[in-house]
Amino acid sequence: MKTAWREGNRIQLLENGDEYYPAVFEAIDKAQRKVILETFIWFEDKVGRQLHAVILRAARRGVDVEVLLDGYGSPDLSDDFVGELTSAGVVFRYYDPRPPLFGMRTNLFRRMHRKIVVIDNTVAFVGGINYSAEHMSDYGPEAKQDYAVRVEGPVVDDILQFELENLPDHVQTRRWWQQRRRYHAAENRWPGEAQALFVWRDNEDHRDDIERHYLKMLANAKREVIIANAYFFPGYRLLHAMRNAARRGVRVKLIVQGEPDMPIVKVGAELLYNYLLQGGVQVYEYRRRPLHGKVALMDDHWATIGSSNLDPLSLSLNLEANLIIHDRTFNQTLRDNLNNIIARDCQCVDETMAPKRTWWNLAKSVVVFHFLRKFPAMVGWLPAHTPRLAQVKPPVQPEIETQDRVTSENSEVKS
């Protein structure tokens, strides 16, 4: 399918689970026909149980509900937890579920990392927030900082069509003689307000769609760019575009993790500090808690929110989805939020915080940039199996079968 810029949308920024979960749960409770939910992580904690309850209510009142979870991100839901949903009619699927090998998960690559909810054809949610208590502010110091959007309007039809075309019954098998097509970033020929474009990354025809929108944004920026990204280790093209924008006078601000949930994340980002600082990019480490957001804005109209990090996994392997937004009010809302956390919760990175210029660090930098240049080609060496979608069948329910048998026997006696 092809998508285009859609006008006349109503777009709301949602910060963290505190705003996101109530909005999603309310929308599902109002669903009349269909709910499609995709997520990387669904934990069986207080948030996960709330989602379970609202989906169960929808299914029991006759709403068609389909759920897709990633087999790597959500491997631990109990049989009873899932079985109650499938018994109520929920179509429950795992993306690339594979048993552990010697206690270790083997489905490391090509993850289904999207976070999308579509209710009927009226409202959709796109962002980076999973379903777990760690996205709530009351979780404590490890609570994640993250974002999503609630959207109504014509772009919801594009999101719904994307979901329907990616169901197992509709996925088309590519023949060996069919070449992959390369799509160009959709042009916004008549920039205005309340405009939105749904974009995604897959391992077929849309391998670098999200990255190309970032590159185009950086090339078109005139005054300011703010990028907040949890796992920042992008390809060389994007790093080069950030430096080019800064060198022509654009204020380029980058917010990365200062208190990462995985220490290696900060190590990777720090290797890029000297390159970015020397090019005039302003780098900030978010120190309040782990940053999980994947957002960006440019000048006074353009913005994006979604599931895609700027790292090799998201840019070259995972299934991702972002919403590109062209709207002055939304842009300002996101800008105010990001500038607020820069002022309140970030430390500006200077040369004293960057790795010292030693021969060892120079050698590491050379290796890093060579890796970033070559990684897209190296992806072909990684496991290239076609991940499967596995549907969870409803459990056998002996008590119901017994009751049916008793009822049948009583009917035979009466007859």
Side-chain angles (χ1 to χ4, degrees):
M1 64 172 285
K2 292 184 179 180
T3 61
W5 283 92
R6 307 299 182 190
E7 299 186 4
N9 301 284
R10 294 173 296 282
I11 308 165
Q12 177 186 3
L13 177 67
L14 301 172
E15 184 178 7
N16 299 322
D18 305 70
E19 295 180 356
Y20 179 70
Y21 299 140
V24 170
F25 298 162
E26 179 185 7
I28 294 175
D29 266 332
K30 292 180 179 179
Q32 298 179 0
R33 298 180 302 279
K34 192 172 189 66
V35 172
I36 301 176
L37 183 147
E38 295 183 336
T39 188
F40 182 62
I41 289 174
W42 184 351
F43 287 162
E44 202 167 333
D45 56 17
K46 68 174 185 178
V47 168
R49 289 190 293 271
Q50 289 174 339
L51 177 61
H52 183 279
V54 73
I55 285 181
L56 194 60
R57 287 198 298 270
R60 284 175 173 171
R61 68 173 184 270
V63 176
D64 180 13
V65 182
E66 301 205 29
V67 171
L68 176 62
L69 303 185
D70 183 74
Y72 180 89
S74 304
D76 298 323
L77 293 180
S78 68
D79 292 342
D80 289 343
F81 188 89
V82 176
E84 192 172 9
L85 296 175
T86 57
S87 296
V90 175
V91 178
F92 202 100
R93 298 186 180 97
Y94 282 103
Y95 179 87
D96 201 21
R98 284 192 276 165
L101 181 64
F102 303 114
M104 299 181 64
R105 288 178 287 178
T106 59
N107 45 355
L108 297 174
F109 304 116
R110 308 184 195 282
R111 305 171 186 173
M112 201 295 297
H113 198 244
R114 300 188 296 252
K115 291 91 175 174
I116 299 174
V117 186
V118 188
I119 292 92
D120 298 329
N121 63 340
T122 58
V123 60
F125 297 83
V126 180
I129 302 176
N130 293 296
Y131 296 93
S132 65
E134 61 191 3
H135 285 276
M136 298 292 293
S137 59
D138 62 5
Y139 188 76
E142 298 301 312
K144 298 181 184 295
Q145 177 69 21
D146 211 340
Y147 301 91
V149 290
R150 179 187 188 276
V151 58
E152 297 178 86
V155 76
V156 175
D157 287 330
D158 288 340
I159 301 172
L160 176 60
Q161 186 64 28
F162 168 82
E163 293 294 338
L164 294 176
E165 290 191 9
N166 279 274
L167 295 177
D169 294 341
H170 294 82
V171 175
Q172 297 182 355
T173 303
R174 184 188 300 277
R175 305 303 179 185
W176 65 267
W177 63 83
Q178 293 177 314
Q179 296 183 346
R180 290 186 172 90
R181 294 167 290 179
R182 184 178 181 85
Y183 289 106
H184 298 285
E187 293 282 348
N188 190 356
R189 298 181 181 276
W190 298 279
E193 304 294 334
Q195 297 173 323
L197 172 71
F198 179 69
V199 297
W200 65 93
R201 196 220 154 262
D202 59 28
N203 292 303
E204 296 294 338
D205 295 325
H206 301 271
R207 295 189 170 201
D208 60 355
D209 287 22
I210 294 175
E211 182 179 15
R212 283 189 285 113
H213 277 282
Y214 268 92
L215 293 171
K216 186 176 180 181
M217 174 270 289
L218 288 163
N220 292 340
K222 294 179 174 60
R223 293 180 298 279
E224 182 179 47
V225 169
I226 305 178
I227 298 174
N229 207 267
Y231 304 105
F232 184 81
F233 201 66
Y236 178 79
R237 290 190 304 169
L238 203 148
L239 289 169
H240 189 62
M242 291 174 67
R243 290 221 328 179
N244 281 349
R247 284 176 166 174
R248 66 173 188 268
V250 178
R251 292 190 307 276
V252 181
K253 302 177 183 179
L254 170 66
I255 307 173
V256 296
Q257 294 202 57
E259 297 292 334
D261 48 0
M262 294 184 292
I264 194 173
V265 172
K266 189 175 180 181
V267 173
E270 286 177 343
L271 291 172
L272 307 176
Y273 283 175
N274 278 318
Y275 181 80
L276 293 170
L277 293 174
Q278 291 169 14
V281 176
Q282 301 172 32
V283 181
Y284 298 89
E285 290 185 348
Y286 179 72
R287 294 295 184 88
R288 186 175 182 182
R289 55 194 186 192
L291 174 68
H292 197 256
K294 308 98 169 51
V295 303
L297 64 85
M298 180 264 284
D299 294 344
D300 60 359
H301 277 81
W302 191 97
T304 186
I305 292 183
S307 66
S308 182
N309 291 298
L310 298 178
D311 71 347
L313 282 176
S314 282
L315 295 177
S316 300
L317 289 168
N318 290 346
L319 307 185
E320 307 283 2
N322 275 39
L323 197 67
I324 312 293
I325 300 159
H326 199 271
D327 181 80
R328 189 186 306 269
T329 300
F330 184 89
N331 178 289
Q332 188 61 50
T333 299
L334 182 58
R335 173 182 282 102
D336 290 344
N337 184 289
L338 296 179
N339 279 329
N340 184 46
I341 70 171
I342 286 175
R344 185 187 63 197
D345 302 315
C346 290
Q347 180 173 355
C348 183
V349 176
D350 57 29
E351 291 186 359
T352 64
M353 297 171 61
K356 294 181 180 179
R357 298 179 184 178
T358 64
W359 285 107
W360 171 240
N361 285 332
L362 176 61
K364 286 194 295 185
S365 296
V366 170
V367 171
V368 164
F369 279 92
H370 183 74
F371 171 80
L372 293 177
R373 283 178 183 270
K374 300 296 184 181
F375 186 82
M378 291 163 55
V379 167
W381 305 345
L382 296 173
H385 70 284
T386 301
R388 64 188 179 91
L389 296 183
Q391 182 173 337
V392 180
K393 296 181 179 180
V396 176
Q397 299 174 323
E399 68 279 1
I400 295 178
E401 293 181 351
T402 301
Q403 181 65 39
D404 289 343
R405 186 167 57 250
V406 169
T407 303
S408 176
E409 291 173 353
N410 289 340
S411 298
E412 290 177 0
V413 170
K414 290 180 181 179
S415 62

